[in-house]
Amino acid sequence: MMSLDLHGYGWMLWQGLERTIMVGLAAMGLAVAFGLLGAWGKFSRYRAARWFAGLYTTVVRGVPELILILLVYYGVPTLVQDLAAGAGHDLRIDLNPFVAGVITIGLIYGAFATEVFRGAFLAIPRGQIEAARAFGMGHVLVVRRVVLPQMWRFALPGLGNVWMVLIKATALISLIQLDELMRSADIAARATRLPFTFFFAASLLYLGITVVSMLVQGRIEAWADRGSRQG
Amino acid sequence: MTGDENQPVAALRVSDLYKRFGALDVLRGVSLSAHERDVVAIMGASGSGKSTLLRCINLLDIPDAGEIRVGGELICMTFDRRGQRGPADRRQVDRVRTRLGMVFQRFNLWSHLTVLQNIIEAPIHVLGIPRRQAIAHAEHLLHKVGLHDKRDTFPAHLSGGQEQRAAIARALAMEPEVMLLDEPTSALDPELVGEVLKVIDALAEEGRTMLIVTHEIGFARAVSSRTIFLHEGTIAEEGPSWQVLDHPRSDRLKRFLSNSSGGDRARSRLIGGDDKR
């Protein structure tokens, strides 16, 4: 990459990279939260919660990400404004593209995280949960002390996968005018008429994120596996 | 509980327990009581309801009918809207469970915690015992079951026998009034059975109240004061262990004993239990 001539746009790409990572981390945090909530819903004894969690994962996984992003960014403010107008209020909402992007990506990958957590929960040996109950642990304590600590271990490979796909999906946010890596590369490419140079540079940066992520994930998994047979 | 005011309250009293799984009646009116220092062996062919009986006592399975009293305290049951029977007060169940130390056939140690952490987990988080005190107690128990050098080992790195001894220490850490042991040696390799039986034997010696579901006839004879023989969900025979096991009345029990005594004799020699009681 050092040998690439970026015609003074290197700094812009770098800023785009920073923003991409920020959007990714924030969206990942949200995805984990939605994922835990979704998995809780899927195993809830309340039918409404199960139904809602099922609807969430079906809709979000079934509709293209691009449509969802445009829907949230353009659709939601319009919807709210129309509703407000209907109630006699004059309201103008401009969704910050960063916030809209984080919410949408978080929502989408929360659905995938839901399935990851669901599988992780099922991977916990039933006997260990039973033992916790037999020792007088209530519902909350069982989840906090036995289920969650073990769920992380089973969820880590899946979550790593979600993160990698999520980071690439942040490129879609360029369509709602957020200057993340993809859009920065696009702007530079147009201005210099060197699309190959800048898209190639951007792809190297995306690849860089992935490589670093894999290294970090390996470390975390090794740490989380310390109690397992291989460890 | 009328009529026996003069008797001490039983540590555990179960009356007329029924449990059905689908079309299968697993328990059909089982009653038993264990007084303090009693060691009751529960025997029977597989499918006779032994494990279900134990699991019903601490409500891991919900009995369809019948009463359970722990130290005189009746576990209150109720029916929900759909007519499902369940505990009236979950917190009472949690409380009662802390007084019943459960040992599982497959150990069920928490795999993300070391042996020591497994032992102090429930005392700290359920009973609210200070950490330092819980650790001191756990160290004492680890010495007792001969696992002190494994205190910082994760369960995955233990042998089955070590896992089960750790599980026994975990149950003891709650200072339960009654220990419930569900086939504690059935999942073990034959050469590891002895070390676990030895630990249980020591618990009987120190006067622990225990209910033990077991296939080890020699062990039951050596350790238990009473034996209950379950057949098809009812108690087919019960009494002092020497009587039930050495002078069985029913053909069913005679057949059961003669079928399972072969491999058992070798094991009872292993723990040197035959000549104890």
Side-chain angles (χ1 to χ4, degrees), chain A residues 64-117:
Chain A
E65 293 147 359
L66 193 49
I67 297 184
L68 286 171
I69 288 173
L70 297 177
L71 207 60
V72 169
Y73 186 62
Y74 295 113
V76 170
T78 316
L79 185 73
V80 173
Q81 280 163 28
D82 286 355
L83 283 176
H89 297 286
D90 190 22
L91 199 68
R92 265 209 61 72
I93 297 180
D94 276 318
L95 216 46
N96 171 338
F98 182 87
V99 173
V102 166
I103 291 178
T104 321
I105 301 270
L107 205 60
I108 294 167
Y109 288 92
F112 291 93
T114 295
E115 295 303 321
V116 170
F117 284 128

Side-chain angles (χ1 to χ4, degrees), chain A residues 125 127-139 141 144-146 149-150 153 226-229 231, chain B residues 55 58-60 94 97-98 100 102 104 108-112 121-122 125-126 154 156-158 163 170-171 174:
Chain A
Q128 293 187 27
I129 292 171
E130 204 160 67
R133 290 171 54 215
F135 279 79
M137 290 194 197
H139 192 71
L141 213 49
R144 193 160 63 83
R145 299 294 311 173
V146 177
Q150 298 213 53
R153 181 156 63 93
R226 68 204 185 286
S228 75
R229 205 143 314 246
Chain B
R55 294 170 54 85
N58 66 4
L59 297 182
L60 286 178
D94 289 342
R97 280 172 174 164
T98 64
L100 300 168
M102 183 83 173
F104 296 88
N108 295 347
L109 291 172
W110 297 304
S111 52
H112 61 300
E121 178 70 17
H125 293 280
V126 180
F154 284 98
H157 300 281
L158 298 176
E163 276 195 89
R170 176 176 70 166
M174 300 294 279

Side-chain angles (χ1 to χ4, degrees), chain B residues 150-192:
Chain B
K150 300 285 181 191
R151 52 166 274 172
D152 297 320
T153 309
F154 284 98
H157 300 281
L158 298 176
S159 73
Q162 291 168 335
E163 276 195 89
Q164 192 60 297
R165 283 185 283 148
I168 291 171
R170 176 176 70 166
L172 287 172
M174 300 294 279
E175 310 210 295
E177 292 156 44
V178 181
M179 294 274 282
L180 307 174
L181 297 100
D182 185 9
E183 304 200 29
T185 58
S186 304
L188 299 178
D189 291 339
E191 73 270 22
L192 302 177

Side-chain angles (χ1 to χ4, degrees), chain B residues 2-265:
Chain B
T2 51
D4 51 11
E5 281 90 358
N6 298 332
Q7 286 201 344
V9 178
L12 178 72
R13 183 184 294 276
V14 172
S15 16
D16 227 14
L17 226 52
Y18 281 83
K19 178 66 185 175
R20 162 188 283 258
F21 287 117
L24 194 69
D25 286 307
V26 182
L27 297 177
R28 299 182 299 160
V30 174
S31 303
L32 68 88
S33 56
H35 290 271
E36 221 173 294
R37 307 177 78 84
D38 271 356
V39 178
V40 181
I42 301 168
M43 309 197 81
S46 59
S48 59
K50 321 181 286 291
S51 289
T52 304
L53 172 60
L54 220 56
R55 294 170 54 85
C56 277
I57 289 173
N58 66 4
L59 297 182
L60 286 178
D61 287 330
I62 305 292
D64 298 322
E67 278 185 2
I68 297 155
R69 283 172 202 273
V70 177
E73 181 181 348
L74 176 71
I75 302 179
C76 302
M77 303 295 282
T78 185
F79 292 90
D80 70 8
R81 277 171 300 154
R82 276 168 296 180
Q84 280 281 350
R85 196 167 187 258
D89 178 7
R90 296 225 148 261
R91 258 167 298 170
Q92 186 201 20
V93 175
D94 289 342
R95 217 167 47 234
V96 168
R97 280 172 174 164
T98 64
R99 297 159 59 191
L100 300 168
M102 183 83 173
V103 175
F104 296 88
Q105 182 179 357
R106 302 214 59 96
F107 335 126
N108 295 347
L109 291 172
W110 297 304
S111 52
H112 61 300
L113 300 177
T114 64
V115 169
L116 183 80
Q117 288 167 339
N118 261 279
I119 297 173
I120 62 176
E121 178 70 17
I124 290 177
H125 293 280
V126 180
L127 301 180
I129 289 173
R131 188 178 179 84
R132 187 186 299 236
Q133 196 182 324
I135 291 177
H137 189 204
E139 304 246 350
H140 167 73
L141 293 171
L142 280 170
H143 277 298
K144 191 148 129 181
V145 300
L147 274 184
H148 196 262
D149 55 324
K150 300 285 181 191
R151 52 166 274 172
D152 297 320
T153 309
F154 284 98
H157 300 281
L158 298 176
S159 73
Q162 291 168 335
E163 276 195 89
Q164 192 60 297
R165 283 185 283 148
I168 291 171
R170 176 176 70 166
L172 287 172
M174 300 294 279
E175 310 210 295
E177 292 156 44
V178 181
M179 294 274 282
L180 307 174
L181 297 100
D182 185 9
E183 304 200 29
T185 58
S186 304
L188 299 178
D189 291 339
E191 73 270 22
L192 302 177
V193 169
E195 64 186 55
V196 171
L197 292 185
K198 218 174 267 173
V199 168
I200 300 171
D201 189 42
L203 296 181
E205 288 290 314
E206 66 182 50
R208 294 260 170 198
T209 312
M210 294 193 280
L211 253 60
I212 311 175
V213 170
T214 183
H215 290 292
E216 310 275 342
I217 294 166
F219 173 67
R221 184 188 287 118
V223 165
S224 67
S225 44
R226 268 187 312 127
T227 293
I228 286 173
F229 179 65
L230 277 181
H231 179 66
E232 291 179 354
T234 56
I235 294 179
E237 214 166 316
E238 73 170 303
S241 295
W242 61 268
Q243 191 178 38
V244 173
L245 296 172
D246 293 339
H247 307 282
R249 290 182 306 247
S250 63
D251 288 339
R252 193 78 64 185
L253 180 53
K254 279 178 196 160
R255 216 172 315 138
F256 175 80
L257 292 174
S258 64
N259 280 345
S260 20
S261 57
D264 194 64
R265 216 163 287 140

